[in-house]
């Protein structure tokens, strides 16, 4: 009677890739998690940085408006 425990993952489906398909899935999962994290951070940075960016660009324009003129709707 053999009492060893196998830690290999058994993949569903056809083919003999076995471990390499699980490696591909784990790599894909890491890339997916990293891209989701980075897109969430970029969304927050864009959300809070867009209006200040427009004000800075407006302040550096040629006619040099005052801050009140940039913020007023007229």
């Amino acid at each position: 009677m053999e009492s060893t425990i196998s830690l290999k993952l058994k993949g569903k489906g056809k083919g003999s890739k076995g471990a390499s398909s699980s490696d591909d899935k784990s790599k894909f999962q890491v890339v997916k998690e990293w891209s989701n994290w980075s897109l969430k951070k970029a969304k927050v940075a864009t959300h809070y940085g867009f209006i200040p960016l427009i004000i800075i660009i407006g302040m550096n324009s040629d006619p040099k408006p005052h801050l009140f003129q940039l913020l007023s709707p007229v």
Side-chain angles (χ1 to χ4, degrees), residues 3 12-14 17 21 24 26 29-31 34 38-40 44 50 53 56 58 64 68 70:
S3 64
K12 294 183 180 178
K14 297 179 182 177
K17 289 185 179 179
S21 67
D24 291 342
S26 66
Q29 188 68 22
V30 169
V31 169
W34 183 83
S38 61
L39 287 176
K40 285 180 184 179
V44 171
F50 183 72
L53 177 68
I56 290 170
K64 297 285 184 191
F68 177 73
L70 284 175

Side-chain angles (χ1 to χ4, degrees), residues 3-54:
S3 64
T4 60
I5 298 173
S6 176
L7 296 176
K8 293 181 182 177
L9 296 174
K10 295 181 180 178
K12 294 183 180 178
K14 297 179 182 177
S16 62
K17 289 185 179 179
S20 68
S21 67
S22 67
D23 289 343
D24 291 342
K25 288 181 182 178
S26 66
K27 289 178 186 177
F28 176 73
Q29 188 68 22
V30 169
V31 169
K32 184 179 175 182
E33 289 174 2
W34 183 83
S35 63
N36 283 339
W37 178 85
S38 61
L39 287 176
K40 285 180 184 179
K41 298 297 180 184
K43 182 180 176 182
V44 171
T46 304
H47 179 79
Y48 289 109
F50 183 72
I51 298 298
L53 177 68
I54 297 301

